[in-house]
């Protein structure tokens, strides 16, 4: 049985908790739905990799709470990897910088 819950991840830091990651991913997704021009202003050569990066980051953030109870498999290993959580924070930082710049 896995002893992790939605409120307490494997590390004690607030930025590592699954609920924090889920709320950040939901906020980014809603922001991009309301203001798609944030990414549309970029040239295609930058937009396509950034969209792929965002899909990965948001997908892993949404999948992580679902995989906590399973505790095995490829998706579980990817969702709990530290670089997977860093991609979400990196994507959020890029979105904020693009929005401030615009």
């Amino acid at each position: 049985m896995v002893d992790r819950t939605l409120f307490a991840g494997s590390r004690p830091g607030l930025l590592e908790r699954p609920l924090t990651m889920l709320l950040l991913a939901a906020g980014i997704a809603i922001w991009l739905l309301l203001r798609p021009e944030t990414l549309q202003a970029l040239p295609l050569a930058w937009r396509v990799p950034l969209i792929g990066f965002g899909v990965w980051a948001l997908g892993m953030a949404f999948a992580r709470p679902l995989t906590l109870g399973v505790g095995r498999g490829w998706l579980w290993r990817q969702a709990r990897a530290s670089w997977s959580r860093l991609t979400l924070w990196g994507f959020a930082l890029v979105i904020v910088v693009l929005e401030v710049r615009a």
Side-chain angles (χ1 to χ4, degrees):
M1 183 168 143
V2 177
D3 61 341
R4 296 181 186 99
T5 65
L6 190 60
F7 300 103
S10 59
R11 297 182 190 169
L14 178 65
L15 299 179
E16 299 291 327
R17 292 185 182 152
L19 183 62
T20 305
M21 305 298 280
L22 189 61
L23 291 174
L24 178 64
I28 293 171
I30 289 171
W31 183 261
L32 289 175
L33 284 172
L34 294 175
R35 300 208 26 135
E37 63 270 9
T38 303
L39 292 179
Q40 289 174 350
L42 293 173
L44 189 61
W46 286 95
R47 191 178 342 152
V48 172
L50 191 58
I51 289 173
F53 183 66
V55 166
W56 175 262
L58 294 176
M60 286 296 108
F62 285 124
R64 187 167 184 231
L66 299 173
T67 62
L68 287 175
V70 177
R72 64 182 183 278
W74 179 82
L75 185 61
W76 178 72
R77 284 191 304 275
Q78 296 301 315
R80 82 182 269 263
S82 62
W83 62 268
S84 187
R85 292 187 296 269
L86 289 175
T87 58
L88 180 65
W89 289 104
F91 185 66
L93 180 66
V94 168
I95 295 299
V96 167
V97 167
L98 287 174
E99 191 60 37
V100 168
R101 191 187 74 171

